């Protein structure tokens, strides 16, 4: 019974990996839960250390940079906390996803498994982390007396779009990083640089008319899908269009990589 779930379908369609994600959901669901449990095993407060870490970041940066950037403290506090919430999830998925195939080499060598399982595992466990961090942001919103608006209902939609974009991205980067090991270090370095080039600790209005710096930055649009609803407004049309382009491009790239790597990945491990 287990073998029928794990073994990928021998279908001529390159969309079989997508159906395998749905058919094998109990596997990546249990794997993701187990990852969180093992990460905080024997810890007194467990995964809530995640929330405390984010709270410390928000407190430290907001107190200092609100004065440096001459921003109203409460407004900056909300902007920063919502941005860090989104960035932490995005960067963690990309970083962990780049080694998802390598880290699961033992599974791939013992039984034929769809690569999409490991991508879904990474995304799912970071969704759990996201909701732990969400507790800190909710406290910030309450403290800052942010008004509840209908735009906040867009948050689940923005989170879903981000999860799909990230799933397709690491479905590409996971196998490629197994084939080209230097690619993992390139992705890691790009993430560090992207943090400072993306409006997380600074706002778009502070760079004058240089909108290309932000609007051509995919991380900006991904963060806005989450930050905008939390702050009470709908993401801009540019962000929605850019997200659609990333979804379609990611899907096409993932289908190509799946087809290319399906029978070769075992030789790259």
């Amino acid at each position: 019974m287990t073998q029928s779930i794990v073994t990928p379908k021998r279908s001529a369609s390159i969309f079989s990996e997508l159906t395998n994600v749905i058919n094998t959901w109990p596997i990546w669901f249990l794997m993701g839960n187990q990852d969180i449990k093992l990460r905080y095993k024997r810890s007194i407060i467990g995964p809530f250390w995640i929330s405390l870490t984010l709270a410390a970041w928000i407190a430290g940066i907001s107190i200092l940079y609100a004065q440096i950037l001459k921003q109203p403290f409460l407004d900056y506090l909300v902007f920063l906390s919502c941005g860090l919430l989104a960035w932490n999830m995005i960067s963690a998925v990309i970083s962990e996803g780049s080694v998802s195939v390598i880290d699961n080499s033992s599974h791939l060598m013992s039984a034929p498994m769809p690569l999409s399982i490991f991508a879904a595992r990474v995304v799912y466990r970071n969704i759990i982390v996201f909701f732990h961090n969400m507790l800190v942001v909710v406290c910030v919103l309450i403290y800052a007396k942010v008004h509840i608006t209908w735009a906040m209902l867009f948050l689940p939609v923005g989170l879903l779009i981000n999860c799909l974009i990230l799933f397709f991205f690491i479905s590409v980067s996971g196998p490629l990083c197994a084939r080209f090991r230097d690619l993992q270090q390139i992705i890691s370095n790009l993430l560090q640089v992207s943090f400072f080039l993306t409006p997380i600790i600074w706002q778009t209005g502070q760079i004058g008319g240089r909108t290309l710096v932000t609007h051509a930055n995919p991380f900006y649009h991904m963060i806005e899908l989450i930050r905008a609803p939390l702050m009470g407004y709908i993401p801009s049309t540019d962000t929605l269009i850019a997200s659609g382009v990333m979804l379609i491009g990611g899907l096409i790239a993932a289908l190509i990589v799946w087809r290319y790597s399906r029978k070769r990945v075992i030789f790259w491990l």
Side-chain angles (χ1 to χ4, degrees):
M1 183 68 174
T2 303
Q3 184 69 15
S4 64
I5 295 177
V6 174
T7 304
K9 297 179 179 179
R10 300 301 179 184
S11 171
S13 172
I14 59 176
F15 286 89
S16 59
E17 284 283 351
L18 293 176
T19 60
N20 282 326
V21 175
I22 300 174
N23 295 334
T24 60
W25 74 266
I27 298 176
W28 52 260
F29 179 82
L30 292 174
M31 282 181 168
N33 288 331
Q34 187 68 13
D35 289 340
I36 297 297
K37 290 178 182 178
L38 291 176
R39 185 181 298 181
Y40 297 97
K41 187 177 181 180
R42 301 184 184 277
S43 173
I44 296 177
I45 63 175
F48 286 100
W49 275 113
I50 304 170
S51 304
L52 290 177
T53 302
L54 178 64
W57 266 80
I58 292 172
I61 295 177
S62 61
I63 293 174
L64 176 63
Y65 276 82
Q67 299 181 47
I68 293 176
L69 300 175
K70 295 180 172 50
Q71 298 291 311
F73 176 72
L74 288 181
D75 292 344
Y76 184 76
L77 178 66
V78 172
F79 176 84
L80 175 69
S81 59
C82 295
L84 281 178
L85 173 68
W87 173 258
N88 282 358
M89 184 192 74
I90 294 167
S91 61
V93 171
I94 293 176
S95 179
E96 296 171 15
S98 64
V99 293
S100 58
V101 173
I102 298 172
D103 287 347
N104 290 281
S105 58
S106 58
H107 295 298
L108 288 168
M109 289 181 177
S110 61
M113 300 180 71
L115 298 179
S116 53
I117 288 181
F118 309 123
R121 174 186 185 178
V122 172
V123 173
Y124 171 66
R125 73 173 176 235
N126 280 286
I127 291 176
I128 298 175
V129 174
F130 175 87
F131 283 112
H132 277 93
N133 285 340
M134 186 74 181
L135 296 175
V136 176
V137 176
V138 168
C139 291
V140 169
L141 296 178
I142 294 173
Y143 174 73
K145 298 179 180 179
V146 174
H147 297 293
I148 298 176
T149 67
W150 290 106
M152 292 181 176
L153 296 176
F154 189 85
L155 178 61
V157 179
L159 180 60
L160 176 61
I161 295 173
N162 262 322
C163 288
L164 290 174
I165 293 173
L166 291 168
F167 172 77
F168 292 140
F169 180 86
I170 63 177
S171 293
V172 173
S173 66
L176 290 183
C177 285
R179 176 63 180 87
F180 306 101
R181 297 301 174 99
D182 291 334
L183 186 57
Q184 175 192 346
Q185 298 300 323
I186 294 174
I187 292 175
S188 178
N189 290 330
L190 286 176
L191 277 176
Q192 295 181 30
V193 174
S194 297
F195 176 78
F196 296 101
L197 295 180
T198 305
I200 301 171
I201 60 177
W202 53 272
Q203 300 181 15
T204 55
Q206 294 171 324
I207 58 173
R210 301 178 183 88
T211 56
L212 185 63
V213 175
T214 55
H215 291 179
N217 183 345
F219 291 117
Y220 165 72
H221 299 293
M222 294 175 71
I223 288 174
E224 274 295 286
L225 287 172
I226 294 174
R227 180 169 57 195
L230 286 172
M231 295 183 66
Y233 60 92
I234 298 291
S236 67
T237 304
D238 289 345
T239 291
L240 296 177
I241 293 174
S243 301
V245 171
M246 285 188 283
L247 270 177
I248 297 172
L251 173 60
I252 295 172
L255 292 175
I256 294 172
V257 170
W258 281 332
R259 184 174 186 177
Y260 175 78
S261 62
R262 185 176 297 169
K263 297 180 181 179
R264 297 176 175 88
V265 68
I266 193 68
F267 301 106
W268 301 340
L269 300 175

